[in-house]
Amino acid sequence: MNLKDRIKAGVAALDERARPWARQSRWNGYAYEFLLFGLKQAWACLFGGLMLALLVGTHLFWPAGAPLARYDFLVIAAVAIQAMLLALKLERWEEAMVIFMFHAVGTLMELFKTAHGSWIYPEPSLLRIGGVPLFTGFMYACVGSYIARIWRLFDITFVRYPPFWSTHILAVLIYANFFSHHYIVDFRMGLFALSAILFGRTWFVFTPDQTARRMPMLMGAVLVSLFIWFAENLGTFAGAWIYPSQAKGWHLVPIEKIGAWYLLMLISFVLVTLVHRPVDACVARLREGIWRAA
């Protein structure tokens, strides 16, 4: 039995022991559902959690004068983690493709942003392009990995999802604005408004346990952006990168950065839809009913 099968067997054993307790009362059921929600969220964050642990761990324990630069170790470790997840079948190849796309998109933006002084990578390294260490692309890929994995783990479907093409236009406009606002007007507020127009009536349906739940798409996007902001603060605290205002000492990243992460998260989400096409919740229920009847 491989590691993936052992993990599934462990989860099934946990469910077998806990399910009778969960059925004793409604509140027990809610508590067990919340536990499963947390476990699935943690599993979806596998790649990102490992990367954050590496950032903080190497910041605290990396030996001074080591022959291998810390940033270079992070590149090697990120590639090794990805290879291990694929070899152990803990991540699918289509999810690895999402990570590759995010790595390319993120690295390109990093090259531009560091050239314009938006943030810097203060430590030396060999595995870099210009001022950008190659591990940075994996930090963006963590977001894509999370979205791809959570889509599958929670069997996500949608209510009133906007036309597929319109979301890709939004993503292109957002990505372009990350570059163009250095030269012309920042259209961020217009992009917020456009995202509200497209997704304002959209709900996503997810299943933590046996009952489908739903949440407004925009609320979910904001919550994910908030947690990315928390992770960014850990990253800057660990010295993985710093903003100019942090050059004389670390402090919290301004809360306004959540807006930038919200827009980047929308790009991430749209890229994931190239692998996981959005399915209407009503259509999904109809298909499930047909399958059960058969």
Side-chain angles (χ1 to χ4, degrees), residues 121-144:
Y121 295 92
E123 299 181 24
S125 63
L126 294 176
L127 302 176
R128 64 195 300 136
I129 302 175
V132 181
L134 295 182
F135 80 87
T136 60
F138 287 102
M139 301 310 300
Y140 290 91
C142 290
V143 181

Side-chain angles (χ1 to χ4, degrees), residues 70-84:
R70 175 191 173 212
Y71 284 175
D72 291 339
F73 170 78
L74 290 172
V75 177
I76 296 169
V79 173
I81 289 171
Q82 183 61 73
M84 178 188 68

Side-chain angles (χ1 to χ4, degrees), residues 75-143:
V75 177
I76 296 169
V79 173
I81 289 171
Q82 183 61 73
M84 178 188 68
L85 293 178
L86 288 171
L88 296 176
K89 298 183 179 180
L90 298 180
E91 193 158 70
R92 297 183 176 183
W93 279 102
E94 60 265 28
E95 291 166 350
M97 183 58 65
V98 169
I99 288 175
F100 174 78
M101 288 190 297
F102 275 85
H103 197 291
V105 169
T107 300
L108 179 61
M109 189 167 70
E110 286 284 331
L111 287 168
F112 181 86
K113 289 291 188 179
T114 52
H116 285 74
S118 297
W119 52 79
I120 61 172
Y121 295 92
E123 299 181 24
S125 63
L126 294 176
L127 302 176
R128 64 195 300 136
I129 302 175
V132 181
L134 295 182
F135 80 87
T136 60
F138 287 102
M139 301 310 300
Y140 290 91
C142 290
V143 181

Side-chain angles (χ1 to χ4, degrees), residues 3-80:
L3 179 60
K4 182 178 180 181
D5 291 336
R6 287 200 296 269
I7 292 172
K8 286 185 174 180
V11 172
L14 169 66
D15 185 71
E16 185 177 356
R17 290 194 300 269
R19 184 67 61 182
W21 174 85
R23 289 172 176 163
Q24 288 177 7
S25 72
R26 182 173 62 179
W27 290 106
N28 286 9
Y30 289 154
Y32 184 56
E33 183 177 39
F34 185 74
L35 172 64
L36 291 178
F37 176 82
L39 290 174
K40 286 185 177 182
Q41 286 282 354
W43 190 242
C45 293
L46 180 61
F47 188 79
L50 290 173
M51 287 301 299
L52 274 178
L54 282 172
L55 292 181
V56 176
T58 54
H59 171 67
L60 295 175
F61 303 113
W62 194 254
L68 179 65
R70 175 191 173 212
Y71 284 175
D72 291 339
F73 170 78
L74 290 172
V75 177
I76 296 169
V79 173

Side-chain angles (χ1 to χ4, degrees), residues 188-206:
R188 188 169 308 188
M189 297 307 296
L191 294 170
F192 290 147
L194 182 56
S195 71
I197 291 171
L198 288 179
F199 293 109
R201 297 175 64 249
T202 302
W203 293 65
F204 68 93
V205 180
F206 61 103

